[in-house]
Amino acid sequence: MPNQPALPGLMMDVQLTTQLLHRRLLDVTGDCELVAVQDASGTARTQTFRETALRAGRLAAALARLGVREGDRVGTFSWNTAEHVEAYWGVMGMGAVLHTINLRLHSDQIAYTVQHADDRVVLLDGSLAEQFLPVLERCPGVEHVVVIGDLPAGVEVPGALHYEELLADESPDFPWPDLDERAAASLCYTSGTTGDPKGVLYSHRSITLHAIAMSGTEVYRLGADDRALSLVPLFHAMGWGLPFVTAVVGADLILPGRFLQPAPLGRIITEHRATWSAGVPTLWMDLLSHLDSPEGRDVSLESLRRILSGGTQVPTEMMRDYQRRFDVEVVQGWGMTEIFPGATVSQDLPGITEELRWQRRSLAGRISPLYEVRVNDATAGIQPHDGVATGEIEVRGPAVAGGYFRAPGTTEEKVTGDGWLRTGDVGTVDPQGWLRISDRAKDAIKSGGEWISSVDLENALMGHPSVREAAVVGRPDPRWSERPHAFVVVDGPVDEAELRTFLEKRVAKWWIPDTFDVVDHIPRTSTGKFNKLDLRERLVGSEEAAR
């Protein structure tokens, strides 16, 4: 904490909590629309921000009646729905902690996060009940499951409560408690690169300041005349902060539910007149392919003007295609669960030349307000911002994690002694604050915006009785940016199909390598570790030889 000032300022000390933004929904931006898509045809339910805020009050009252108190964790296992946004406002505003459970993790990891977070209540999207039931059996600490929507035919959740029935019994006039801005508001787990998922515990202050920073004209560039389509999962890095940013600027918010495939996505943009959107590059590459197919003839991007993409490197050619063919500006940003998205964004600046425009669009972006970035070389120390000197990218600021939830060892490893977060990314920063990411300090694979742990995959593969050694590296992929490729040393006959079947029970399906090489041995470094640089070079060489 800072020292007491010699002369205190005479401004009001209003707490920066999500309640402050929640009141804005009621008093200022209440007429904005929240559009929740219900099916693949694009049919949607629309409610105003004011109605959303009032329903959040009912939810808070219902949770309080169930015994939820300040600091308790409430999980959500849901797609991007109106109810999920209501949970954002209601759970955080009542002083409880919203744990946005990542439904893309393997069931073992999901169960770990629910147990580690000590979730007392879980709000469960009915369409995901079958996926969550095996997790629930392993989490006796969950006292209540509240089902949103309908359960699939033949599926039962023992003792489940119904979301709408709970809200119907409550008043929207919940007595919101006085909260400290430094209190925990939300918990999001990142699988990171190795080991168990790590919990990032956001404070009210960090969420509010991030929303204000992203609302600036040079970051998200989202305004009151926009209809923002949120393709980023609300369980992924706080949904890039979009529920809060739209509340600040007064932009309509469109939620696609589980309908992220190219055909329904095209219909949603066309029918609901989306002007701005955010999502990983894979979604936008798939939509381009759909637009070139006979099925995509009825799709119109006339309303769409800007796309913010990230999570992995955004292909420059894709950005050029959207600009050239549809006059849609695609820019990329960089962030992490630990620092929120938008720490850098590659927005165009006034007076830019066409050549410089595309050069900068290919970068991670320019450092956003409230963030500080430095380049740290393990041998030479802190490097200059000259666009040349390379090192690990470190970040600090009021929207940057200063530690991990119940993980002191990880905190010590990832946070420097002078208070900077080590990101694990390697790159450069130029004198104007433009960041280039050139590599990763570790060997994680980022596929479609999501991390895949090469070490966890290797351990899973080596659990097969015929696999003696396994090393996994990322193989460049035009659609997913990277996909896992496995090198295996085997004892006895085993084929790829058998290995895939074996992995299906041990890792998330999308983690399973697309390709395998059976080798006599795996090269090692002088310290005995797998030499993955050698393996990557070997992989590149084999692909070049095959051309």
Side-chain angles (χ1 to χ4, degrees):
M1 297 293 291
N3 297 325
Q4 290 297 316
L7 180 63
L10 296 177
M11 306 305 290
M12 294 183 182
D13 191 14
V14 176
Q15 296 294 299
L16 299 178
T17 71
T18 61
Q19 291 178 353
L20 185 63
L21 305 183
H22 181 250
R23 291 194 292 271
R24 185 170 176 82
L25 294 181
L26 294 167
D27 300 335
V28 180
T29 59
D31 292 335
C32 295
E33 291 184 341
L34 188 152
V35 180
V37 174
Q38 304 294 296
D39 56 44
S41 69
T43 303
R45 187 184 92 224
T46 300
Q47 61 192 47
T48 66
F49 280 11
R50 185 173 293 107
E51 289 169 333
T52 301
L54 293 173
R55 282 172 60 84
R58 292 181 185 273
L59 174 61
L63 292 171
R65 194 176 297 277
L66 292 177
V68 175
R69 298 293 179 260
E70 290 185 31
D72 287 345
R73 268 74 73 195
V74 175
T76 53
F77 198 75
S78 177
W79 304 104
N80 284 17
T81 64
E83 294 85 355
H84 206 164
V85 171
E86 291 162 9
Y88 262 59
W89 295 114
V91 174
M92 296 188 211
M94 72 181 294
V97 178
L98 182 73
H99 170 206
T100 53
I101 305 168
N102 188 341
L103 56 89
R104 291 180 179 167
L105 297 178
H106 187 266
S107 59
D108 290 344
Q109 294 176 313
I110 294 172
Y112 171 83
T113 64
V114 172
Q115 292 169 329
H116 189 266
D118 285 336
D119 290 338
R120 293 187 59 196
V121 177
V122 173
L123 307 180
L124 172 64
D125 191 312
S127 66
L128 296 167
E130 285 183 280
Q131 181 183 350
F132 190 70
L133 279 172
V135 173
L136 184 61
E137 294 173 356
R138 300 166 58 180
C139 299
V142 175
E143 300 167 18
H144 301 285
V145 175
V146 180
V147 174
I148 298 168
D150 299 322
L151 291 170
V155 176
E156 293 185 8
V157 179
L161 304 170
H162 195 277
Y163 186 88
E164 292 298 336
E165 292 176 0
L166 283 179
L167 265 62
D169 292 337
E170 304 295 342
S171 165
D173 299 322
F174 180 73
W176 302 100
D178 292 330
L179 299 177
D180 189 306
E181 65 182 23
R182 290 176 173 79
S186 186
L187 178 62
C188 185
Y189 283 82
T190 173
S191 58
T193 56
T194 59
D196 294 323
K198 312 299 189 299
V200 177
L201 192 60
Y202 302 103
S203 65
H204 282 268
R205 181 173 183 264
S206 69
I207 292 170
T208 304
L209 288 174
H210 176 262
I212 294 170
M214 296 304 105
S215 300
T217 58
E218 296 309 317
V219 190
Y220 278 11
R221 293 190 179 176
L222 182 60
D225 58 344
D226 278 312
R227 290 172 63 81
L229 173 59
S230 175
L231 303 183
V232 182
L234 288 170
F235 58 78
H236 192 273
M238 293 298 299
W240 292 13
L242 286 175
F244 305 109
V245 176
T246 54
V248 171
V249 303
D252 295 335
L253 180 60
I254 305 170
L255 304 169
R258 64 181 183 274
F259 306 105
L260 300 175
Q261 302 77 18
L265 175 55
R267 282 192 288 270
I268 291 168
I269 294 171
T270 302
E271 295 176 16
H272 297 289
R273 305 290 295 170
T275 65
W276 187 102
S277 190
V280 297
T282 302
L283 296 174
W284 301 113
M285 289 189 287
D286 288 351
L287 181 61
L288 268 183
S289 298
H290 178 68
L291 291 167
D292 291 332
S293 70
E295 293 78 14
R297 286 178 297 184
D298 296 331
V299 174
S300 171
L301 301 188
E302 180 184 0
S303 64
L304 192 62
R305 63 184 181 85
R306 180 169 291 118
I307 294 169
L308 175 63
S309 193
T312 189
Q313 180 69 30
V314 182
T316 302
E317 191 55 38
M318 184 197 79
M319 293 190 277
R320 288 180 181 272
D321 277 348
Y322 272 100
Q323 190 85 59
R324 181 177 62 249
R325 296 173 56 186
F326 307 107
D327 196 27
V328 175
E329 182 182 74
V330 182
V331 298
Q332 63 180 314
W334 171 79
M336 301 165 56
T337 304
E338 294 91 334
I339 66 175
F340 290 89
T344 66
V345 177
S346 63
Q347 300 283 17
D348 294 342
L349 298 180
I352 195 171
T353 65
E354 193 68 8
E355 180 181 358
L356 188 56
R357 177 198 312 276
W358 293 109
Q359 180 186 14
R360 284 182 168 171
R361 290 262 190 106
S362 68
L363 302 177
R366 196 184 194 199
I367 301 168
S368 297
L370 305 185
Y371 288 92
E372 293 180 273
V373 175
R374 72 182 186 185
V375 179
N376 193 354
D377 181 270
T379 302
I382 307 303
Q383 299 297 294
H385 286 193
D386 59 6
V388 177
T390 300
E392 183 175 8
I393 303 302
E394 298 179 346
V395 187
R396 74 174 178 182
V400 176
Y404 292 84
F405 183 54
R406 294 178 172 172
T410 304
T411 298
E412 184 178 356
E413 174 191 351
K414 295 282 285 184
V415 181
T416 67
D418 58 347
W420 292 71
L421 181 77
R422 300 178 58 197
T423 67
D425 285 329
V426 173
T428 65
V429 179
D430 77 6
Q432 288 77 44
W434 286 85
L435 171 67
R436 177 187 295 277
I437 301 294
S438 58
D439 203 348
R440 299 191 183 101
K442 293 190 177 181
D443 294 313
I445 299 160
K446 209 166 194 182
S447 182
E450 296 282 345
W451 288 109
I452 295 175
S453 169
S454 61
V455 172
D456 289 351
L457 256 180
E458 289 158 2
N459 290 336
L461 276 168
M462 286 187 283
H464 190 285
S466 297
V467 176
R468 179 155 32 103
E469 289 184 343
V472 178
V473 298
R475 166 179 241 153
D477 185 273
R479 179 180 179 191
W480 301 106
S481 184
E482 283 186 322
R483 291 293 302 148
H485 176 91
F487 292 88
V488 294
V489 179
V490 300
D491 295 319
V494 60
D495 59 23
E496 292 185 14
E498 182 179 343
L499 292 176
R500 290 194 179 94
T501 300
F502 179 79
L503 288 175
E504 284 177 355
K505 299 178 181 179
R506 291 159 177 81
V507 300
K509 187 175 182 180
W510 58 276
W511 277 34
I512 297 174
D514 290 350
T515 50
F516 293 76
D517 269 337
V518 176
V519 295
D520 293 331
H521 72 282
I522 294 175
R524 296 179 181 271
T525 66
S526 58
T527 59
K529 298 179 181 179
F530 292 150
N531 189 336
K532 293 193 174 181
L533 177 60
D534 185 294
L535 292 175
R536 292 189 188 97
E537 291 175 349
R538 183 185 304 184
L539 189 59
V540 170
S542 65
E543 290 180 342
E544 290 177 348
R547 292 193 187 108

